[in-house]
Amino acid sequence: QVQLVESGGGLVQPGGSLRLSCAASGSIFLINTMGWYRQAPGKQRELVAAVTRSGSTNYADSVKGRFTISRDNAKNTVSLQMNSLKPEDTAVYYCNVGVTDRRLVRADYWGQGTQVTVSS
């Protein structure tokens, strides 16, 4: 079993910043790609940003230049620094982690979600 614990959501004014963090623990042999998704009311869940084990990153066009994803392989954590936040960034943000466990079985895991609200 693998557990993901997210933190860092909240309410922020437009133009403000927030930092989300996600820590993975449990029966982990190797963590592959780590990413953040978001889902706004009435919309599908979408990829925000992802980072591979080697550090290659991928961002949604809507967040490029404003968000930065990073990971710490030693601590099994992934973070999302969100700057210049806009009301349209309001959503529940989910951490997603690809894990190869100690049985060498590969699976994707999701965090519980953290609310980000951008409003004046």
Side-chain angles (χ1 to χ4, degrees):
Q1 277 286 46
V2 174
Q3 297 79 40
L4 301 181
V5 177
E6 301 174 7
S7 61
L11 172 65
V12 64
Q13 292 186 342
S17 298
L18 281 176
R19 184 177 181 85
L20 306 182
S21 295
C22 174
S25 62
S27 179
I28 298 171
F29 175 73
L30 185 72
I31 294 183
N32 307 299
T33 299
M34 308 180 84
W36 290 93
Y37 288 71
R38 67 186 180 188
Q39 187 166 19
K43 294 188 176 182
Q44 289 188 332
R45 190 173 297 189
E46 62 174 0
L47 174 69
V48 177
V51 57
T52 66
R53 183 168 182 82
S54 63
S56 296
T57 57
N58 180 39
Y59 293 93
D61 287 344
S62 60
V63 307
K64 283 180 181 177
R66 300 187 298 123
F67 291 10
T68 302
I69 190 169
S70 60
R71 65 186 284 170
D72 185 329
N73 290 333
K75 296 181 179 179
N76 292 339
T77 60
V78 60
S79 298
L80 185 69
Q81 178 66 41
M82 305 185 292
N83 298 329
S84 302
L85 282 160
K86 304 175 181 179
E88 50 263 44
D89 295 318
T90 296
V92 178
Y93 284 69
Y94 297 92
C95 173
N96 175 267
V97 176
V99 175
T100 299
D101 68 19
R102 292 170 185 168
R103 301 167 297 162
L104 301 184
V105 173
R106 189 166 175 167
D108 274 353
Y109 293 86
W110 291 91
Q112 77 278 12
T114 185
Q115 177 70 46
V116 171
T117 302
V118 185
S119 175
S120 55

